[in-house]
Amino acid sequence: MPELPEVETIRAGLESGILGRTLTGVELYHPRVARRSENGEHGIHDLVGSTVHAVVRRGKYMWIDFGQPLVVHLGMSGQLLIHDGRAPRGPHTRAVLDFSGRQVSFVDQRTFGHLQRSTYLPGDGHPAGYGSERTEIPASVAHIARDLLDPWIHLRDISATTRRKRTEIKRVMLDQTVVSGLGNIYCDEALFRAGIHPRRKASGLSYISLETLWRHGQDVMRDALDQGGTSFDALYVNVNGASGYFDRSLNAYGRGGKPCLRCGTTMQKIEFMNRSSTFCPTCQPYSG
DNA sequence: TATAACTCCTGAAGGC
DNA sequence: TGCCTTCAGGAGTTAT
């Protein structure tokens, strides 16, 4: 599933492929692809003739800066694939952007992803995302917090926000308005590295524990980024169709019923927020 | 206002 | 072989 490292890998590939090029055509093949777009499909078609100034990312959101932003979210299964010449149209191709013969296909099996024409709002004076110095932020991304790899994030501030929450720590980690970029996989990994049970109350954790947790989150994502992201199947590939390798380094996610790599205790898998959560009951004791 | 639950969606995998 | 059920989960919407 695309989380921050996967989206950053795709952003970098997209930037190198289309920066400075002019959008010459748009084809949309599925009604859900533009469901959140301002002016629907017309809002996206109106960008034809515009030039790519940057490809920017905040958390799991990215946007192509055409002067106006085209926001891209990959959902659970979205892929962006670059082809020179006409792209082959597969059964899950939801849209194709044409840049004078170089085509970008938006492929999305589960249709949770989308393309969204948006407008810029004033930001906080610092670069709004990775990939551009521009401070304005797309209106549809304005509610998304800075991510853990953002140089303008302050761990002390997000730890303070976290301690005000009266819910479980993993819920807070998945809340993109507190800190963005973390999904289920990297939450489990960061919690495992920090030795914190996913159901611990956020308000019961110390500042030191929380800052340690966020630093582990940063480390996990940097490690994943170095390896091109996490792949379990064909649902995540970079813009060239290649898979990442970080799944070979996972210590928690997907290891329910298997021995903990640190202590040997059987890892537990529990239901959490309509999804799974895997942890070691010895290394990550529940208390509070 | 904060938190929790529900919903969207498709295809792989497993059971029968 | 074919049908049915379960599972995966990001994020917006709705309910409490």
Side-chain angles (χ1 to χ4, degrees):
Chain A
M1 320 304 164
E3 299 186 27
L4 188 155
E6 291 76 32
V7 177
E8 175 53 28
T9 301
I10 291 167
R11 186 209 66 78
L14 190 60
E15 181 182 67
S16 67
I18 65 170
L19 189 65
R21 288 179 174 258
T22 298
L23 182 67
T24 52
V26 173
E27 293 179 70
L28 303 173
Y29 300 116
H30 194 288
R32 278 176 60 81
V33 76
R35 65 191 184 281
R36 301 188 199 284
S37 183
E38 292 180 15
N39 298 320
E41 296 186 6
H42 293 298
I44 300 174
H45 283 288
D46 286 347
L47 291 168
V48 171
S50 304
T51 299
V52 177
H53 301 303
V55 182
V56 193
R57 179 193 55 74
R58 175 181 283 208
K60 288 175 270 192
Y61 284 83
M62 62 181 146
W63 60 93
I64 303 172
D65 178 15
F66 286 103
Q68 292 296 314
L70 177 65
V71 175
V72 181
H73 196 287
L74 300 173
M76 285 181 59
S77 54
Q79 303 172 354
L80 290 174
L81 302 172
I82 297 178
H83 300 267
D84 279 320
R86 188 159 186 83
R89 186 182 162 192
H92 306 308
T93 301
R94 310 305 184 192
V96 173
L97 307 179
D98 191 279
F99 297 87
S100 301
R102 176 164 290 181
Q103 295 196 325
V104 177
S105 298
F106 179 63
V107 179
D108 187 15
Q109 180 192 95
R110 296 179 191 171
T111 70
F112 279 31
H114 60 268
L115 304 180
Q116 182 177 36
R117 170 70 185 274
S118 189
T119 49
Y120 280 119
L121 296 176
D124 60 7
H126 300 302
Y130 188 83
S132 171
E133 291 301 307
R134 187 169 186 158
T135 59
E136 295 92 343
I137 188 163
S140 58
V141 186
H143 65 294
I144 298 298
R146 291 184 180 276
D147 61 66
L148 282 176
L149 300 186
D150 189 315
W152 295 101
I153 197 170
H154 300 290
L155 298 187
R156 185 80 183 175
D157 292 344
I158 60 171
S159 295
T161 302
T162 303
R163 290 198 81 224
R164 287 195 291 271
K165 301 288 185 181
R166 290 172 296 179
T167 189
E168 298 137 315
I169 183 61
K170 187 168 174 180
R171 281 186 184 274
V172 180
M173 296 175 78
L174 289 167
D175 184 345
Q176 305 295 302
T177 68
V178 175
V179 62
S180 66
L182 284 167
N184 204 37
I185 297 171
Y186 297 121
C187 275
D188 278 3
E189 293 304 309
L191 286 163
F192 177 80
R193 291 190 184 193
I196 296 174
H197 192 288
R199 289 200 185 280
R200 285 283 301 273
K201 286 286 185 289
S203 57
L205 292 165
S206 67
Y207 276 102
I208 292 174
S209 295
L210 287 169
E211 291 198 29
T212 301
L213 173 63
W214 297 127
R215 288 191 197 287
H216 280 301
Q218 291 176 320
D219 291 342
V220 166
M221 289 196 286
R222 286 195 189 104
D223 291 347
L225 196 54
D226 287 343
Q227 296 177 52
T230 303
S231 296
F232 297 103
D233 47 37
L235 288 184
Y236 163 67
V237 293
N238 65 19
V239 296
N240 301 312
S243 299
Y245 296 96
F246 190 67
D247 56 320
R248 299 171 190 173
S249 304
L250 294 174
N251 293 307
Y253 182 86
R255 290 188 51 79
K258 296 177 181 175
C260 171
L261 295 173
R262 191 183 290 152
C263 73
T265 302
T266 301
M267 301 284 285
Q268 286 188 11
K269 179 180 174 182
I270 59 174
E271 187 180 329
F272 191 94
M273 294 175 68
N274 271 343
R275 60 202 67 184
S276 67
S277 190
T278 307
F279 64 98
C280 171
T282 300
C283 300
Q284 299 165 260
Y286 180 78
S287 55

